[in-house]
């Protein structure tokens, strides 16, 4: 009942481990796959290793998390070993490789390398903690160019996913640009830029000052963005992975009805390893109660 497809990927259920949390090693990806995710996404990988920002780089808020990790990762060469190890577990849970470039020109190099070890490549065009990336992820022309440059160098069978920032006036316009560049799937949203200030010390809490806000508090923004993208892309057959504040089956159903074909889960894993199973159980109960037969019957049914 819950199985579905995303392009040529077969998912046992519509939940996906979102990029950025618990996706740094083969062991963690395996743990997420075994805890019920329909697919898993790696932390964004760059061409060269990065240490990330100084601490504090994560703050827990009442309604989510604020983070400025600074994209710490071992670089694509080292990370390949984790992906080979993951493949050798033979888990039958697709892996999406997220990548990040310091410049537009770096994306084709990283993506073409990463594509050899994953089922789909996701371009992180939306990290809130790198001003340059956010700026070109906010510009439809550069988004289109990066996507088409990457598309021309990766294997035709590998799906190309583009993850968009909500920190724009029209996310629908950016989605349209990504699709015209040749992307196969849109994922939205990445975190919203945010800030917290310690009023005793009169200083920003994060060492990087500004970070990306995620979790329950951003769900209405994510639903709105997915809805706007779904309306923009009507008739294109480009699926959307809806991400932002999903922590229950009801949240997931809302996201599917807004036009997502699958849902990403990230911050909800902060204190709950059983989240994928809980979401799936709630979706299934709802579908049985309301006589829905398959996930695609829910997709976009609120998009008018
Ligand atoms: C980071 C990257 C992201 O894409 C995001 O949404 C938040 C934080 C980072 O590693 O800094």
């Amino acid at each position: 009942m819950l199985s579905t497809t995303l392009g040529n990927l077969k998912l046992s259920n519509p939940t996906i481990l979102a990029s950025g949390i618990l996706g740094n090693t083969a062991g963690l990806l395996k743990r997420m796959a075994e805890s019920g995710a329909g697919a898993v996404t790696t932390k964004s990988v760059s061409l060269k290793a990065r240490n990330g920002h100084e601490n504090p780089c994560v703050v827990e808020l009442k309604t989510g998390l604020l983070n400025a990790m600074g994209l710490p990762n071992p670089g694509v060469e080292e990370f390949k070993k984790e992906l080979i190890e993951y493949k050798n577990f033979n888990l039958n849970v697709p892996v999406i490789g997220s990548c990040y470039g310091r410049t537009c020109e770096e994306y084709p190099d990283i993506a073409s390398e990463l594509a050899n070890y994953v089922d789909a490549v996701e371009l992180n065009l939306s990290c809130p903690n790198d001003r340059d990336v956010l700026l070109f992820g906010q510009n439809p022309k550069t988004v289109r160019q990066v996507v088409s440059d990457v598309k021309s160098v990766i294997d035709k069978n590998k799906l190309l996913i583009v993850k968009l920032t909500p920190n724009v006036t029209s996310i629908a316009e950016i989605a349209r640009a990504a699709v015209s560049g040749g992307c196969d799937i849109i994922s939205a949203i990445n975190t919203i830029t945010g800030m917290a200030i310690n009023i005793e010390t009169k200083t920003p809490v994060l060492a990087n000052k500004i970070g990306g806000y995620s979790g329950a508090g951003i769900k209405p923004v994510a639903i709105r963005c997915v809805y706007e993208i779904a309306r923009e892309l009507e008739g294109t057959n480009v699926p959307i992975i809806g991400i932002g504040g999903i922590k229950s089956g009801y949240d997931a159903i809302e996201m599917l009805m807004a036009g997502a074909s699958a849902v990403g889960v990230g911050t909800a894993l902060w204190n709950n390893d059983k989240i994928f199973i809980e979401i799936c159980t709630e979706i299934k109960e709802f579908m049985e109660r309301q006589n829905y037969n398959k996930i695609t019957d829910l997709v976009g049914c609120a998009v008018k």
Side-chain angles (χ1 to χ4, degrees), residues 118-136:
V118 292
D119 299 295
V121 172
E122 179 172 271
L123 305 183
N124 180 354
L125 292 183
S126 41
C127 172
N129 301 320
D130 184 321
R131 242 188 99 64
D132 295 335
V133 173
L134 201 51
L135 286 178
F136 65 67

Side-chain angles (χ1 to χ4, degrees), residues 15-38:
T15 66
I16 299 177
L17 170 72
S19 181
I21 186 163
L22 300 171
N24 319 41
T25 65
L28 283 171
L29 291 166
K30 175 172 183 266
R31 194 172 117 203
M32 294 299 103
E34 288 176 342
S35 67

Side-chain angles (χ1 to χ4, degrees), residues 6-286:
L6 259 186
N8 60 16
L9 298 185
K10 290 190 173 57
L11 310 191
S12 61
N13 70 73
T15 66
I16 299 177
L17 170 72
S19 181
I21 186 163
L22 300 171
N24 319 41
T25 65
L28 283 171
L29 291 166
K30 175 172 183 266
R31 194 172 117 203
M32 294 299 103
E34 288 176 342
S35 67
V40 292
T41 314
T42 69
K43 173 75 181 162
S44 297
V45 187
S46 49
L47 217 43
K48 297 270 173 293
R50 291 172 56 98
N51 291 329
H53 293 315
E54 275 172 33
N55 285 323
C57 53
V58 187
V59 192
E60 192 172 358
L61 307 171
K62 278 196 191 119
T63 49
L65 295 175
L66 192 59
N67 91 83
M69 303 301 294
L71 293 145
N73 79 90
V76 70
E77 268 313 302
E78 266 309 295
F79 198 71
K80 274 168 19 184
K81 296 176 195 159
E82 302 292 335
L83 292 168
I84 293 166
E85 195 180 332
Y86 179 80
K87 272 280 168 243
N88 286 338
F89 292 138
N90 276 319
L91 295 169
N92 224 1
V93 176
V95 59
I96 301 168
S98 169
C99 63
Y100 152 87
R102 281 289 285 126
T103 60
C104 296
E105 290 71 32
E106 279 186 7
Y107 278 91
D109 291 346
I110 310 164
S112 56
E113 193 53 24
L114 196 59
N116 300 321
Y117 303 90
V118 292
D119 299 295
V121 172
E122 179 172 271
L123 305 183
N124 180 354
L125 292 183
S126 41
C127 172
N129 301 320
D130 184 321
R131 242 188 99 64
D132 295 335
V133 173
L134 201 51
L135 286 178
F136 65 67
Q138 289 166 325
N139 180 334
K141 284 206 185 78
T142 44
V143 167
R144 179 166 190 234
Q145 192 61 51
V146 173
V147 174
S148 80
D149 289 350
V150 169
K151 189 70 184 174
S152 67
V153 294
I154 63 170
D155 184 334
K156 293 210 170 26
N157 302 320
K158 294 288 154 85
L159 291 172
L160 180 57
I161 306 172
V162 178
K163 187 164 184 180
L164 304 183
T165 176
N167 304 306
V168 285
T169 312
S170 170
I171 197 166
E173 186 188 6
I174 308 287
R176 171 65 67 186
V179 170
S180 63
C183 90
D184 303 297
I185 299 175
I186 293 285
S187 68
I189 58 176
N190 207 318
T191 54
I192 301 174
T193 44
M195 194 170 181
I197 289 172
N198 179 330
I199 60 169
E200 303 299 331
T201 59
K202 297 177 267 185
T203 51
V205 178
L206 293 173
N208 189 55
K209 300 188 177 74
I210 291 172
Y213 177 38
S214 63
I218 74 164
K219 193 187 80 174
V221 179
I223 299 285
R224 185 268 300 167
C225 287
V226 167
Y227 181 86
E228 287 181 351
I229 297 167
R231 286 228 300 215
E232 177 71 26
L233 300 184
E234 220 162 2
T236 62
N237 272 332
V238 173
I240 304 166
I241 301 173
I243 310 168
I246 304 298
K247 64 175 175 56
S248 72
Y250 309 106
D251 295 336
I253 292 162
E254 203 180 333
M255 192 58 105
L256 296 171
M257 289 186 172
S261 292
V263 299
V265 178
T267 304
L269 283 154
W270 182 253
N271 50 16
N272 185 2
D273 242 27
K274 299 199 170 63
I275 191 74
F276 296 111
I277 290 172
E278 284 173 15
I279 291 175
C280 289
T281 305
E282 283 169 12
I283 299 177
K284 191 160 177 280
E285 280 168 8
F286 177 86

